[in-house]
Amino acid sequence: MVTVTTSVLDTSSVVPPRPAAPASAGGFGGRAVERAGLTALLIATAVLYLWNITINGMGNQFYAGAAWAGSKSWEALLFGSLDPANFITVDKPPVSQWVMGLSGRIFGFSSASMLIPQALMAVAAVALLYGAVRRVSNSHHAGLLAGAALALTPVAALMFRFNNPDAVMVLLMMAAAYATVRALQHASTLWIVLAGAALGFAFLAKMLEGLMVLPALGLAYLIAAPNPIRTRIVQLFGALVALLVASGWYVLVTLWWPASSRPYLAGSTDNNFMNLVLGYNGFARVLGRNHGGGGGGHAQTPPAHAAAQLPAGHPGFGGFGGQVRGVERLFSGEFGVEIGWLLPAALLAFVLVLISRGRAPRTDLMRAAAIVFGGWMIIDGAVLSYMNGMVHPYYCLSIAPAVAGMFALGIREMWTRRETLFGRLGAAALLAVTGVWSFVLLQRNSGWYPELRWAILIVTLLAAVLVAIPWTHRAHRRFAAAVLTVGLLGGLSGAAAYSVATVATAHSGGGPTVGPAQADGHGDWGQAQANPQLTALLQKTNSTWAAAVNGSSSAAGLELQSGKAVMAIGGFSGSDPTPTLAEFQADVKAGKIGYYAVQSNGRGQGNGSFDSRTDTTGTADRSATGGARTQRSQTADPARMPGGSGGFGRNQHTDITNWVTATFTPQQVGNATVYNLSGYLG
C-alpha cells in the first residue's frame, strides 16, 4: 500500500501570503528528491490498484455489456449501447464506455482490458491531486500526503477497480480542480477554459453529478484570481462556453441523429437526452421520484436478499431502504467506511485554514484552495446527504479527492503555524480527530483485527499530545516533524487496512461494498446466473438479436456469456417505453430476434419480472413499496430466475410477454423457458 516515509511537511514557519511556484532547483537534494517521492507514490498506487484486478471479473455486468458492445460496433461505442445491434443504451452518457470499449477494441475485450484503464485513472487522479496541493502549499510533502490519502480511501480502492462510470467522472472533476488551481496562480484564461472543458466531459460521464464541483471552482476563481473582477467574469464565461461545447456536441448528436437509426436513450421517457438529464438522472434522482413505475423509472431498490449481503459491522444497508437521510448519512453505515475516515478532520481543516488565512490578501492561494476543496466537499457532500432518491454509497467517490486534498492542506497550514498555540492545537486536533474517528469506524466491525483500532487510537493521540508541545530547539522541531509523520501514518492506517481488504476481495453486481470479504457476497445483485445450455443455444443463432429478454442486466449477462447481441426489452428496469408490441412483432416477423427467454412461471426474464409468489420455503413475498413493486424473498431460489437474482423494477411490457406465450411453443433450456421466434409470418 502507499506510505509516506518522510516528514509530511517542511520545517518553515513563514507563511507567505501567496506561496511561490514550485522550486526548480536541480540536483539530488531538490527536484530530484521530489520526483522520486512522486514516482514512488504513483508506482505504489498503480501496484495497489492493478494487483489481481481481474478478481472482479466482469464487475457490473450492466456496464460490461456496453463495453463489450462498444468493442464490436462503432455506433454502439458512440452512444454507449448495451448491445452491438444498437437497440438501447445504458442509462448514462458514454464517456466511460468510450474508454473501456476502445481498450477492448485495441487489446481484445476481457476483464483486464476493461478494468485496467479504470485503475490507471486512479493513478492519474492521484498525480493531479498531488500537483494541485503542491502548487498551492509550496510543499512536496503536503502533495504526497494528499495523494496518499486519496489512494488509501476505501471507496477509491473499490471504484477505480470497477467498471462503473464513477472513475472517469471523478478523474475529470479532479482535472477541472487542477486546472482551476493553475488558473488561479496567474489568472490564466487557458487553464480556466480547460477546467470548463474537463467539466463538460465529466457531465458526459454521469451528467449533473459530474458538475457538483463547479460552484466551488467558480467561486474560488471569482474571489481569488489576481486580475480585475470584470476580467474574471469574462474568463468564467469563457469556461462556461467551453463546458457547453465539450458536453453539448454529444447532446446535439443525439438530437440530430434520426431516432429511427440510433439506439433508444435508456431512462428517458421520450428518447430525448435532456429528458434523461433533467428527469431520470437529474432532479428526479435528487427528489426521490425515480423509484420505478412509469417510463424512465429506475427502480433501484435491490432484492431483499441483497440487504442480507451487507458486511457485518456496517449498520444499515447504505444507499437503499434502511439508509439515513441527512448530515449523518456520510458518517454512518456503508457510507462511513467508504468515505468517512478523514471526513471529520477534513471539515475541521476547512475551518482552520479559513481562520488561519482570515487576514491574507484576496489572492491568497491557500485560502483559494480551501474554497476549491472545501467547497467541493461541502456542496457535493450536502447533495449526497440529502438526496431523497436512490443513493448508492459508492457515489461518495465524487468527494474523495476533495476530502484528501482538504485534509492535507489543513495539516500543512497548521504545521506552518506551529510556532503559535493555534497552529499546534490545530495540528493536534486534526490528528486526534482522525485517530478517534478511525477507532469508531473500526469498532463497528469489532471482530475484524480489533488490535488495529487500539493501535491507531494510541498512536494518534500520543502524537497529538507531542505535536501540541512548543518545541523550541532545532533538534526538537525535527522530532516534532517525525512525530507528526508517525501520527499521520497511524491516522491513515484504518483506511489503508480497509482499502487493502477491498482490493483483496472480489466485487460484482450493482452494489459493491468495501472492506473484508463476507460469506454472503459483496453486493452482487443484478448479476445473471450462468446457463450453459442457453448460452450454447444463442451462440448458434445468426439473427440481429440472438434473444430478447426483459431488462438490461439480464440482457448484458447473456451477451457476455454467449458473445451475441441480446435485446433488452424495457431497458434497465423493464419500464422504458421500448419496444412497443407492434415494433417487437415487426422485428420477429423480419427474423431479427431468435428467441425469447422467460422464467419458469412464464414471465419475462430478469429485470422487471417480480410478482408476488411463494418461494421455496412456502413464504409469500412481501411488497417493498406499498404495492407498487414486489421483490423475491431472500429465501427464494435464484435458479428460478435465469436472468440472475438481481432484477428489479416493474415490467411495463406484459403485452409482449403475453403475445409470445400465446403464439409460440415453450421449451425448457437449462433453468430458463425459451420460445423459438423463428418462422413467424404474421
Side-chain angles (χ1 to χ4, degrees):
M1 64 182 178
V2 179
T3 58
V4 181
T5 57
T6 58
S7 171
V8 175
L9 300 160
D10 61 31
T11 57
S12 172
S13 61
V14 179
V15 183
R18 188 175 186 82
S24 58
F28 184 74
R31 290 296 295 272
V33 171
E34 292 192 6
R35 288 170 182 160
L38 175 59
T39 299
L41 171 66
L42 298 183
I43 290 175
T45 302
V47 170
L48 176 66
Y49 280 58
L50 290 170
W51 185 266
N52 198 22
I53 194 170
T54 56
I55 192 177
N56 292 331
M58 288 296 153
N60 188 335
Q61 289 183 354
F62 177 58
Y63 294 114
W68 169 78
S71 72
K72 302 296 182 182
S73 163
W74 286 111
E75 185 177 341
L77 184 68
L78 173 63
F79 289 107
S81 297
L82 187 74
D83 63 283
N86 292 292
F87 173 71
I88 196 168
T89 68
V90 295
D91 57 355
K92 300 293 186 296
V95 164
S96 180
Q97 279 68 51
W98 290 346
V99 176
M100 294 184 292
L102 281 173
S103 178
R105 277 188 168 270
I106 295 171
F107 301 105
F109 181 76
S110 66
S111 173
S113 70
M114 180 178 66
L115 296 179
I116 286 175
Q118 304 289 91
L120 295 179
M121 290 177 194
V123 178
V126 167
L128 289 171
L129 181 58
Y130 166 88
V133 172
R134 169 71 176 89
R135 285 181 173 275
V136 298
S137 67
N138 197 28
S139 170
H140 163 65
H141 298 117
L144 287 181
L145 175 61
L150 174 58
L152 295 175
T153 301
V155 69
L158 174 70
M159 297 310 295
F160 278 110
R161 289 167 50 87
F162 210 62
N163 59 333
N164 280 32
D166 302 74
V168 69
M169 178 196 71
V170 170
L171 172 60
L172 290 165
M173 294 170 77
M174 186 59 242
Y178 174 81
T180 300
V181 167
R182 293 293 300 266
L184 282 166
Q185 288 183 293
H186 305 293
S188 169
T189 300
L190 174 61
W191 280 106
I192 198 64
V193 167
L194 288 175
L199 285 180
F201 281 97
F203 174 83
L204 291 183
K206 281 196 80 176
M207 301 188 184
L208 297 181
E209 187 179 358
L211 301 183
M212 287 294 100
V213 67
L214 186 152
L217 302 186
L219 181 63
Y221 194 82
L222 189 64
I223 291 175
N227 57 352
I229 183 65
R230 290 184 180 179
T231 305
R232 279 175 265 156
I233 293 174
V234 170
Q235 289 175 318
L236 288 174
F237 179 77
L240 177 61
V241 171
L243 187 158
L244 294 175
V245 171
S247 60
W249 70 269
Y250 178 78
V251 179
L252 293 177
V253 167
T254 65
L255 294 175
W256 292 343
W257 197 297
S260 59
S261 61
R262 63 162 170 79
Y264 186 90
L265 301 178
S268 66
T269 59
D270 58 1
N271 203 11
N272 185 288
F273 186 84
M274 293 310 298
N275 174 272
L276 182 63
V277 171
L278 300 177
Y280 168 77
N281 272 328
F283 299 111
R285 191 173 294 268
V286 174
L287 299 176
R289 297 174 182 171
N290 62 340
H291 290 289
H298 194 159
Q300 283 287 355
T301 303
H305 68 272
Q309 297 174 359
L310 185 68
H314 298 190
F317 186 55
F320 301 107
Q323 181 195 90
V324 297
R325 176 173 176 264
V327 174
E328 64 269 35
R329 175 180 282 175
L330 296 181
F331 301 91
S332 60
E334 179 65 21
F335 272 100
V337 292
E338 291 199 8
I339 193 62
W341 303 89
L342 295 178
L343 185 56
L347 290 170
L348 176 61
F350 178 62
V351 175
L352 293 175
V353 171
L354 291 184
I355 294 175
S356 178
R357 294 282 172 165
R359 297 184 180 181
R362 175 185 65 82
T363 58
D364 180 60
L365 269 182
M366 182 66 81
R367 184 173 56 205
I371 296 173
V372 167
F373 291 110
W376 177 0
M377 172 179 61
I378 292 171
I379 294 170
D380 198 345
V383 173
L384 290 172
S385 296
Y386 286 94
M387 280 179 67
N388 199 35
M390 182 278 300
V391 190
H392 284 288
Y394 63 73
Y395 286 0
C396 65
L397 178 66
S398 64
I399 63 171
V403 171
M406 194 64 248
F407 175 74
L409 290 176
I411 292 290
R412 162 65 179 173
E413 180 67 13
M414 293 303 98
W415 182 251
T416 60
R417 298 280 190 182
R418 66 189 178 280
E419 301 300 333
T420 68
L421 180 63
F422 175 75
R424 294 192 300 275
L425 292 181
L430 290 174
L431 287 178
V433 167
T434 301
V436 169
W437 189 244
S438 294
F439 179 88
V440 171
L441 291 176
L442 289 170
Q443 176 67 30
R444 295 175 182 174
N445 196 359
S446 57
W448 187 71
Y449 293 110
E451 62 277 6
L452 176 62
R453 65 179 183 272
W454 289 106
I456 291 173
L457 184 66
I458 293 171
V459 168
T460 53
L461 291 183
L462 180 60
V465 171
L466 293 176
V467 165
I469 296 174
W471 304 99
T472 55
H473 299 294
R474 183 178 181 85
H476 291 169
R477 289 197 296 268
R478 290 178 178 174
F479 172 74
V483 168
L484 177 63
T485 301
V486 171
L488 289 171
L489 290 173
L492 291 175
S493 295
Y498 248 69
S499 294
V500 171
T502 299
V503 168
T505 303
H507 299 90
S508 62
T513 57
V514 302
Q518 302 296 314
D520 290 330
H522 245 61
D524 58 352
W525 52 270
Q527 299 297 88
Q529 301 294 318
N531 187 338
Q533 297 94 329
L534 181 56
T535 297
L537 182 66
L538 299 186
Q539 287 174 337
K540 297 176 182 178
T541 62
N542 294 310
S543 51
T544 304
W545 291 280
V549 298
N550 191 48
S552 294
S553 293
S554 300
L558 285 178
E559 286 182 339
L560 295 171
Q561 293 162 20
S562 67
K564 295 288 186 177
V566 176
M567 176 183 287
I569 297 173
F572 184 84
S573 61
S575 60
D576 286 349
T578 187
T580 64
L581 176 59
E583 291 169 339
F584 185 81
Q585 290 172 331
D587 285 336
V588 172
K589 185 176 180 179
K592 293 183 178 180
I593 308 173
Y595 296 92
Y596 184 78
V598 297
Q599 293 179 192
S600 58
N601 66 349
R603 300 285 294 175
Q605 179 190 23
N607 292 351
S609 59
F610 297 109
D611 291 325
S612 294
R613 63 176 70 89
T614 301
D615 62 30
T616 56
T617 65
T619 303
D621 290 346
R622 301 292 183 182
S623 170
T625 56
R629 177 175 68 248
T630 58
Q631 303 171 1
R632 284 182 67 88
S633 165
Q634 69 183 63
T635 56
D637 181 7
R640 290 171 55 87
M641 304 167 61
S645 59
F648 45 87
R650 189 170 64 186
N651 185 4
Q652 302 295 306
H653 297 276
T654 55
D655 53 350
I656 292 177
T657 302
N658 293 336
W659 175 74
V660 170
T661 57
T663 307
F664 299 91
T665 302
Q667 62 182 107
Q668 195 68 24
V669 180
N671 57 11
T673 301
V674 176
Y675 294 81
N676 187 339
L677 306 183
S678 62
Y680 176 72
L681 300 178

